[in-house]
Amino acid sequence: DAGVIQSPRHEVTEMGQEVTLRCKPISGHDYLFWYRQTMMRGLELLIYFNNNVPIDDSGMPEDRFSAKMPNASFSTLKIQPSEPRDSAVYFCASSLRAGGGSGANVLTFGAGSRLTVL
Amino acid sequence: GESVGLHLPTLSVQEGDNSIINCAYSNSASDYFIWYKQESGKGPQFIIDIRSNMDKRQGQRVTVLLNKTVKHLSLQIAATQPGDSAVYFCAVLNSGAGSYQLTFGKGTKLSVIP
């Protein structure tokens, strides 16, 4: 398996532009997570899906952020309009299950998408 | 809510020595704990996990110790190697909270001196 695949790896855009980040989870994983990583705040959970359904989006910072999972093999995180404070590394992760207890619950992360908003 | 802290932001160790990375958490209901390693330009990678019904778990060159009384866990790396240089994160979960809110610490940067 190629692991969790994210694109683009790097994105530089101007304030006000729309940004779309993409993720392909590991085949067979039922859970997909979007995280944001910054130096100041560390790793923050934005939203997660179970079987393509959003379960908890309480971490999504504001209405400018939206996430979709149209099928089991693809998810997008969209920022519109983007702002300089959105600059961060965005990670997608997937797992077989969620909750503690066994290796099946362990998150496998993608390599991340580094976003710079000028 | 949950806050997760680390005692040291950076740690330098000599190659071959043992490393100990510490993590404190605040929510006594937390019952699942994970250590991740993040190398530069990569996503976090799973190292080892432990449930709250255990106080010690060993892997290959790594040991995680959990002290629920003082809400503290540590990651011990034996015979540290240059390839161990990375940022290490602890993450905690309250699996009974109804949401998979895995809370990550800020990270400790481990530098191995050859």
Side-chain angles (χ1 to χ4, degrees):
Chain A
D1 198 315
V4 176
I5 300 173
Q6 292 186 245
S7 65
R9 288 297 313 276
H10 302 274
E11 173 98 6
V12 180
T13 191
E14 293 188 344
M15 184 173 65
Q17 296 299 305
E18 178 179 293
V19 173
T20 300
L21 307 178
R22 298 172 178 81
C23 175
K24 182 181 187 306
I26 292 174
S27 177
H29 280 193
D30 292 337
Y31 287 81
L32 183 140
F33 304 80
W34 282 100
Y35 281 84
R36 177 171 67 176
Q37 186 176 40
T38 61
M39 288 296 294
M40 291 297 295
R41 300 174 68 90
L43 271 163
E44 303 172 279
L45 177 65
L46 300 177
I47 185 172
Y48 78 92
F49 296 82
N50 177 21
N51 291 325
N52 314 337
V53 176
I55 302 300
D56 187 344
D57 65 354
S58 59
M60 295 286 264
E62 49 197 271
D63 292 344
R64 296 185 298 108
F65 285 68
S66 63
K68 295 182 179 179
M69 193 165 185
N71 57 62
S73 59
F74 184 66
S75 177
T76 60
L77 178 67
K78 188 171 292 187
I79 308 172
Q80 167 62 21
S82 59
E83 296 182 3
R85 61 191 167 124
D86 301 331
S87 298
V89 181
Y90 291 82
F91 287 102
C92 177
S94 68
S95 70
L96 272 172
R97 289 190 292 273
S102 75
N105 302 293
V106 170
L107 303 185
T108 301
F109 284 81
S113 294
R114 180 176 293 277
L115 173 64
T116 302
V117 183
L118 304 174
Chain B
E2 178 66 78
S3 67
V4 182
L6 291 159
H7 294 270
L8 290 173
T10 60
L11 177 66
S12 296
V13 298
Q14 205 73 37
E15 181 178 356
D17 287 352
N18 297 334
S19 302
I20 299 176
I21 301 171
N22 296 303
C23 180
Y25 62 96
S26 61
N27 187 351
S28 56
S30 299
D31 59 355
Y32 183 51
F33 308 86
I34 312 174
W35 281 100
Y36 280 90
K37 171 186 180 183
Q38 186 176 22
E39 296 174 283
S40 180
K42 297 182 179 179
Q45 285 181 289
F46 170 83
I47 302 173
I48 191 167
D49 60 355
I50 188 169
R51 279 195 63 81
S52 57
N53 60 353
M54 303 173 67
D55 53 21
K56 180 179 180 179
R57 192 165 187 217
Q58 288 184 291
Q60 187 176 10
R61 285 201 305 117
V62 294
T63 300
V64 56
L65 299 177
L66 175 63
N67 186 330
K68 295 180 289 294
T69 302
V70 296
K71 297 195 282 290
H72 179 273
L73 68 158
S74 66
L75 177 70
Q76 300 179 0
I77 304 173
T80 312
Q81 302 170 358
D84 296 326
S85 294
V87 178
Y88 290 80
F89 296 92
C90 67
V92 304
L93 172 72
N94 174 8
S95 62
S99 175
Y100 195 67
Q101 285 286 350
L102 192 64
T103 301
F104 282 81
K106 291 285 192 293
T108 294
K109 183 176 181 180
L110 175 65
S111 298
V112 180
I113 305 165

